[in-house]
Every structure is written in structure tokens, then in C-alpha cells.
Amino acid sequence: MTHLYFVRHALSVMNKKGKFSGRTETPLAPEGITQAEATAQEAKSLKIDLIVSSPMERCRETAAIIAEQIGYPVADIRIEELFMERAFGVLEGTEYMQGLDVEGHEGVESGDEILARAAKGVAYLQALPYDTVLLVSHGAIGRAIRHVLHPEIPYHNSERFENAQIIQLL
């Protein structure tokens, strides 16, 4: 893999409500569909060889919209569990609070656990026989992958990814 592009899923219904969604399924909000369509226009110039997505509905929807717009077969999108969102345990469905230290809350995947999963995800992606990969996933795992690829960028308290923004990680 020569190039890795990351897209955090487009705005979901729970994002719009300001709720922790984690592993709770939530579809895209109408604005999210519009965001994904705009991202697809940007992605047309990237010459994507493979699209990989988290199995969560909001990611699959975002990936499908992008694929359709860039002429990539939706049926060829690879779904990979390694790129699931962080489990937020008891916080799922509660009001999202920027800067909240989620470590230690019941059922929350620890920072060490998500970083280990991100390292496995990076190894998975690097083993694929494709030059340019687009990964559609979630904010927490995206920040963890960015840290694995660029250790100088911290995982904790690092810059968040906006919904439907294309970020080049490699």
C-alpha cells in the first residue's frame, strides 16, 4: 500500500443529537448523505484501488455513497471488524462531552486496547496488494491508526477528524 486515505463516516443521526454512538447502530442524517456526496467528488481524483469499511451502518452507507459516485463497485467494498468504532460501554447513547476522559468507565475499550487493534488494522491494510486504499471508519480508531503510522502524533487529546473529511495518512 502506497497511499492510505481515511474518511470518518459522514454525520450520523446520533452525531447530530450530540450522543456517544460507539458501537450503537445509527444511520446517516440527511446532512450526512450530502457530506458523503461532496466527499465522493473530492475522492474522484484519488484513483482508489480498494475501499475498506467498518461494518457499522454509518460507515457502510458513507462508503457506498463514495463508491457509487467514483465508479467503484459497491459489492467490492471490504468490510473489516478491526475498524469498528471504540466501544464506549455505559457512555453509549449519553450526551457527548468534548474532552471527557472516557478511560475507566464500565465497558469502555481502553486506549491500549484500541491502539493494539489499530496496529493489527494497519498490518492488515499493509498486507493488501493495492496501492491506494480508502478506509471509511470512525474517529477514535482513525486517531489510533494515525498514531500507529505517525507515533509523533499522540492518540490521546489529538486533533479530531471531522465527519466525511478525507485525510491522507500515507
Side-chain angles (χ1 to χ4, degrees), residues 28 36 41 43 55 111 113 121 127 130 139 142 162-163 170:
L28 295 182
Q41 294 306 308
E113 290 169 328
Y130 299 94
E162 296 299 323
N163 292 102
L170 279 181

Side-chain angles (χ1 to χ4, degrees), residues 155-167:
Y155 168 67
H156 294 287
N157 302 315
S158 64
E159 181 182 347
R160 299 185 64 217
F161 296 120
E162 296 299 323
N163 292 102
Q165 177 185 18
I166 297 176
I167 304 291

Side-chain angles (χ1 to χ4, degrees), residues 50-111:
L50 177 70
I51 297 176
V52 179
S53 175
S54 157
M56 303 297 296
E57 178 181 7
R58 56 199 182 266
C59 292
R60 288 183 291 108
E61 282 185 85
T62 302
I65 291 167
I66 293 170
E68 288 170 353
Q69 298 280 326
I70 68 171
Y72 183 93
V74 173
D76 290 350
I77 296 170
R78 289 205 188 178
I79 306 301
E80 179 50 56
E81 298 275 331
L82 288 167
F83 304 113
M84 291 273 289
E85 176 60 295
R86 183 180 194 175
F88 284 108
V90 297
L91 297 174
E92 294 202 19
T94 65
E95 185 178 337
Y96 177 79
M97 292 172 275
Q98 180 78 23
L100 175 68
D101 183 4
V102 300
E103 297 287 326
H105 285 84
E106 184 181 333
V108 172
E109 183 178 18
S110 74

